[in-house]
Amino acid sequence: MTSSDDSSKMKTSSEKSNNLLAKRYIGLEKSIWTELNALPIVHKAIDLGQGFIDYAPPHYFIDLYKETLDDPNIFLHQYTREMGHRRLVEAISNVYSPYFNRKIDPLTEILVTDGATQSLFNCIHSFINPDDEVILIEPFFSCYEPMVHSACGIPRYIALKPKPESIKADISSSSDWILHKNELESMFNSRTRLIIINTPNNPVGKVFTRNELEHIANLCQKHDVICISDEVYEWIVYDENKKHIRIATLPNMWERTLTIGSAGKTFSSTGLKLGWTIGPQHLMRSCRVVHQNCVISCPTISQEVVARCFEYELKRINSSKCYFNSISNEFLEKRDKFVQALKECGIKPVVPDGGYFILADYSQFAGDKFQSDTDDVKDIKFVRYLTKEKQLATIPATIFYTDDHHHLAENYIRFCFVKKDETLDKAIEILRKLKTN
Ligand code: PMP
Ligand code: GLN
């Protein structure tokens, strides 16, 4: 066979494999996260990119993990209850019932999943029929949009708008990023099926106010829309006056809200990949159908460990020692240290009220060197440069926006600041050198 025969054969098989992808996934082939998460390893960069801590999780988490592995109950190594390991759903119910002002039924109102990501997948795929609309608030955690597409739904976007004066300021707050009420109202129509909210928000750190949540709640009720509330950073809030509010606790919202949590975020152990959805039985019934036809059940050992961790915390839930109460103090020091450094370097921080990311405006400091073009957006180019040339990994803000709204975000990059002091110091040193270069 000649070499030209070889190449035509290869082309045919690669064309064939492209055609194999189900139509609803076409357009979703590339994930920028896959590239960005690998870059710091390849370039030995200080990693303030993907969201995770770089020090040990709470000591009791490790102890309970070991204790579970030593447990003589051999069934902890076998399949467990499909909708959630019994001990875990009971622990979740015991911890969360007071926060939802109701007794949450562990067997019908909780579904344990392979991380908040799978909860999102279940919720989105459970309720969307072709051409149903889903309202997404930008910036949003990047998996929402592809999941809506793969469910054959139509995403409708509304962006939080920074107050004009905050854009110019050397330092601003995530609470300056406003959800415009009339604009939101104009997004709802008879085809709207879902709205997805995320408070505290990734990446900007906004904690939605009661007033904003009430407005969303009223619109959901008026238009008979289900609200998916992604609350994975629920315990991480920095301002006493801007507490985390669960939209499911607002009047008449329990019936139409699915609240999503993550053990990875709750116990600072993202490798767990375990999450849950909490909601009323009539909505959970649909989520269960997607779950049982997808993963069937989640890993037993991890569920047992998380159950024991919740039980441990429940005993001291009202004490300042409880991890849910102390985690924000631990992260607050890191936030303030990093905010100060960014400010000194001329990278204008948007100080987050919650979560563990800081968005910052790098534009005045990158100058005209990085411009958006048909290949890439400016912030992605800058992030690649920073990681490859300066060994500091961050995340571009535009990946939390739809293509049409990149102009709103291209001057920002995201830093994950929940890192040990040594890591933060090294990152700050790089930023300081950049300024003097
Ligand atoms: N929602 C948000 C807002 C997130 O930032 C993340 C990633 N940490 C997830 C969901 C996914 O969480 P998990 O790792 O539990 O799947
Ligand atoms: N939620 C994490 C973050 O925002 C991880 C996202 C990812 O790797 N896709 O950093």
Side-chain angles (χ1 to χ4, degrees), residues 31 33-34 37 49-52 141-143 202 233 265 356-357 395 400 414 416:
S31 162
W33 283 98
T34 312
N37 291 342
Q50 203 182 16
F52 58 87
F141 179 49
S142 334
C143 73
N202 173 11
Y233 303 102
K265 301 295 170 183
Y356 48 47
F357 305 108
I395 297 289
F400 301 90
R414 189 194 81 173
C416 173

Side-chain angles (χ1 to χ4, degrees), residues 120 239 293 319 348:
L120 287 158
D239 187 334
N293 289 299
S319 134
K348 302 186 291 183

Side-chain angles (χ1 to χ4, degrees), residues 115-117 120 141 198 202 230 232-233 262 265 273:
T117 310
L120 287 158
F141 179 49
N198 172 215
N202 173 11
D230 178 344
V232 300
Y233 303 102
S262 163
K265 301 295 170 183
K273 284 305 290 180

Side-chain angles (χ1 to χ4, degrees), residues 208-237:
F208 281 70
T209 63
R210 181 172 294 278
N211 189 275
E212 285 166 327
L213 293 174
E214 279 171 355
H215 184 61
I216 295 169
N218 289 339
L219 290 169
C220 286
Q221 287 164 46
K222 185 171 164 196
H223 296 273
D224 194 17
V225 166
I226 298 166
C227 178
I228 298 177
S229 188
D230 178 344
E231 303 186 10
V232 300
Y233 303 102
E234 61 191 318
W235 305 109
I236 309 169
V237 281

